[in-house]
């Protein structure tokens, strides 16, 4: 690939990639679960898949503050994306422990697709068949809050919450939306809210910056969609995709991350590099090809700088994805969305 343009590597790395990496450290519940509480992801996190990356130890970086919880959620999602209707639907299971010193009567999830800015463009989410430990539960959805009621969740008790949901993707150039063939999936599924010294954090959606508060957890996500789609996602793809007719199924796993994001486009090409045992993947279309080499170089430089200043990057992969949007860049765990528009300057200044 010829390098037709020259980004300012320092500017690009500082504005998006390095910001992503420095903010990507997990926010752990405190204290972490005891060593004898075995996670269903233990085998996965100890597998060869992550042997190249040095894992972060689960410690409380702010011991002077009160506990955060619930702790160590394990998310399992099985979803299907209809590219013609722009609908994502499926099921989710969350296994999580009440590490707090109080009994909880409610469990809250944030359902960001119901934010007004998304609903104005046709977006939204519905939730059905909510169960706690296999029993049907009372619940209600109020704007961006899912309130599961009358749970009587005692300290140290583990709960398994399951639900079905349907997400209508809004038509917009944004971190959550679709435009042309590109689908951006940030903040798209019900995510467990955080309980801390202020109680449950249920602030409304804010469309600017990284205004999301969630605890670190593990994700096991199965996605079925049209076989033409090329997907970038948080975590690591497990095995090869399974193709049946026009549909393909992918599986991703991620550990110690605060969120799970995806980007899809059937026109994506991928260029890669490896630095300090971390895979750097850049996803771009023909229209965005002139930026690809510089984006890859920025990713490499960012990992090098991170490793020099903070230590080994604790995940095995970083995806940098091109898309059209109104912002310069948006950071999710192991995935950075870069907004590349026609009027973007080649010196790295946002157009």
């Amino acid at each position: 690939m010829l390098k037709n343009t020259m980004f300012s590597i320092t500017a690009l790395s500082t504005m998006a990639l390095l910001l992503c990496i420095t903010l990507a450290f997990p926010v752990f519940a405190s204290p972490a679960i005891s060593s004898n509480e075995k996670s269903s992801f233990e085998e996965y996190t100890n597998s060869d898949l992550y042997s190249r990356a040095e894992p972060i130890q689960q410690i409380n970086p702010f011991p002077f503050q009160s506990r955060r919880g619930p702790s160590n959620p394990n998310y399992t999602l099985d979803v299907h994306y209809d590219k013609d209707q722009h609908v994502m639907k499926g099921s989710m299971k969350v296994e999580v422990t009440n590490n707090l010193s109080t009994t909880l009567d409610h469990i809250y999830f944030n359902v960001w697709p119901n934010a007004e800015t998304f609903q104005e463009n046709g977006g939204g989410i519905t939730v059905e068949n909510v169960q706690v430990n296999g029993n049907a539960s009372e619940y209600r959805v109020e704007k961006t809050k899912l309130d599961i009621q009358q749970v009587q969740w005692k300290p140290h008790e583990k709960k398994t919450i399951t639900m079905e949901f349907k997400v209508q993707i809004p038509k917009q150039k944004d971190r959550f939306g679709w435009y042309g063939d590109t689908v951006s999936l940030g903040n798209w599924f019900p995510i467990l809210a955080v309980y801390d010294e202020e109680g449950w954090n249920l602030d409304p959606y804010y469309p600017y910056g990284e205004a999301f508060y969630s605890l670190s957890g593990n994700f096991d996500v199965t996605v079925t969609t049209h076989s033409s789609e090329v997907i970038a996602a948080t975590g690591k793809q497990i095995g090869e995709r399974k193709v049946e007719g026009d549909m393909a199924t992918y599986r991703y796993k991620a550990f110690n991350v605060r969120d799970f994001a995806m980007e899809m486009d059937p026109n994506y090409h991928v260029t890669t590099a490896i630095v300090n045992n971390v895979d750097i993947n850049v996803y771009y279309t023909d229209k965005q090809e002139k930026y690809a080499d510089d984006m890859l170089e920025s990713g490499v430089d960012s990992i090098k700088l991170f490793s020099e200043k903070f230590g080994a990057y604790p995940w095995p992969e970083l995806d940098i994805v091109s898309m059209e949007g109104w912002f310069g860049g948006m950071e999710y765990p192991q995935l950075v969305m870069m907004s590349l528009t026609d009027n973007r300057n080649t010196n790295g200044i946002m157009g």
Side-chain angles (χ1 to χ4, degrees):
M1 179 189 307
L2 295 177
K3 182 181 282 188
N4 298 322
T5 63
M6 189 64 183
F7 272 145
S8 168
I9 301 303
T10 302
L12 183 59
S13 299
T14 302
M15 284 186 287
L17 303 179
L18 185 57
L19 179 61
C20 164
I21 297 169
T22 56
L23 291 180
F25 273 123
V27 180
F28 292 110
S30 54
I33 59 174
S34 61
S35 59
N36 61 354
E37 292 186 60
K38 302 299 184 180
S39 167
S40 61
F41 280 70
E42 181 178 8
E43 181 179 353
Y44 156 64
T45 56
N46 291 332
S47 70
D48 291 339
L49 190 65
Y50 284 89
S51 60
R52 294 182 301 164
E54 181 180 342
I56 289 179
Q57 294 185 2
Q58 297 193 25
I59 61 175
N60 176 19
F62 306 107
F64 54 86
Q65 296 185 7
S66 61
R67 291 185 176 187
R68 291 179 174 87
S71 68
N72 302 86
N74 289 328
Y75 295 84
T76 303
L77 290 88
D78 189 349
V79 294
H80 180 284
Y81 181 67
D82 185 332
K83 72 180 186 68
D84 296 320
Q85 300 298 319
H86 308 291
V87 169
M88 180 78 81
K89 63 180 180 180
S91 60
M92 181 173 73
K93 177 176 71 173
V94 184
E95 299 172 298
V96 62
T97 299
N98 180 4
N99 63 312
L100 306 167
S101 58
T102 184
T103 296
L104 300 175
D105 297 326
H106 298 254
I107 304 174
Y108 286 96
F109 285 73
N110 289 307
V111 283
W112 301 127
N114 279 343
E116 183 177 349
T117 186
F118 299 139
Q119 290 187 331
E120 290 173 350
N121 293 290
I125 183 171
T126 58
V127 177
E128 296 179 333
N129 194 24
V130 176
Q131 298 185 13
V132 177
N133 289 350
N135 298 314
S137 297
E138 295 186 21
Y139 68 94
R140 66 175 181 176
V141 175
E142 181 181 356
K143 296 183 179 180
T144 57
K145 297 182 293 186
L146 166 61
D147 177 7
I148 305 174
Q149 305 167 356
Q150 300 180 5
V151 292
Q152 287 296 302
W153 195 4
K154 298 177 181 180
H156 311 298
E157 183 182 8
K158 184 175 181 179
K159 294 285 190 185
T160 299
I161 304 121
T162 59
M163 66 186 73
E164 298 171 357
F165 62 95
K166 179 180 178 181
V167 181
Q168 183 69 54
I169 314 299
K171 183 179 182 181
Q172 58 184 35
K173 298 179 182 180
D174 208 329
R175 54 193 171 192
F176 174 59
W178 69 272
Y179 182 81
D181 291 329
T182 305
V183 183
S184 301
L185 294 172
N187 313 108
W188 59 278
F189 64 94
I191 190 166
L192 187 67
V194 179
Y195 188 101
D196 62 11
E197 58 270 20
E198 298 179 357
W200 287 103
N201 286 260
L202 300 167
D203 301 305
Y205 179 86
Y206 187 70
Y208 305 106
E210 188 180 345
F212 315 111
Y213 184 22
S214 54
L215 290 170
S216 178
N218 302 315
F219 288 83
D220 185 342
V221 181
T222 300
V223 183
T224 300
T225 187
H226 196 274
S227 60
S228 63
E229 296 286 358
V230 179
I231 303 177
T234 295
K236 192 83 171 178
Q237 183 175 331
I238 306 301
E240 299 294 328
R241 67 174 188 166
K242 298 179 181 179
V243 179
E244 294 186 11
D246 293 335
M247 307 302 289
T249 299
Y250 305 77
R251 187 180 183 188
Y252 302 92
K253 286 189 176 183
F255 73 99
N256 288 349
V257 295
R258 295 171 49 208
D259 205 343
F260 188 95
M262 293 189 291
E263 191 84 13
M264 297 189 290
D265 192 314
N267 304 304
Y268 273 148
H269 309 289
V270 185
T271 183
T272 65
I274 299 176
V275 58
N276 296 347
N277 291 324
V278 178
D279 294 326
I280 311 293
N281 304 313
V282 170
Y283 292 75
Y284 63 94
T285 64
D286 290 340
K287 184 178 180 180
Q288 301 151 349
E289 182 177 5
K290 60 184 178 180
Y291 303 115
D293 286 346
D294 296 295
M295 291 169 61
L296 185 62
E297 187 174 351
S298 295
V300 169
D301 287 350
S302 295
I303 293 295
K304 288 180 178 178
L305 183 60
F306 180 95
S307 300
E308 176 185 343
K309 299 297 184 182
F310 302 104
Y313 186 70
W315 295 278
E317 181 176 314
L318 173 65
D319 293 341
I320 306 167
V321 296
S322 303
M323 48 87 71
E324 294 188 43
W326 55 268
F327 52 86
M330 186 61 213
E331 307 81 22
Y332 289 93
Q334 297 183 253
L335 185 146
V336 184
M337 299 178 183
M338 293 301 303
S339 174
L340 301 176
T341 57
D342 290 338
N343 61 342
R344 180 165 190 166
N345 296 334
T346 58
N347 64 357
I349 299 174
M350 303 306 172

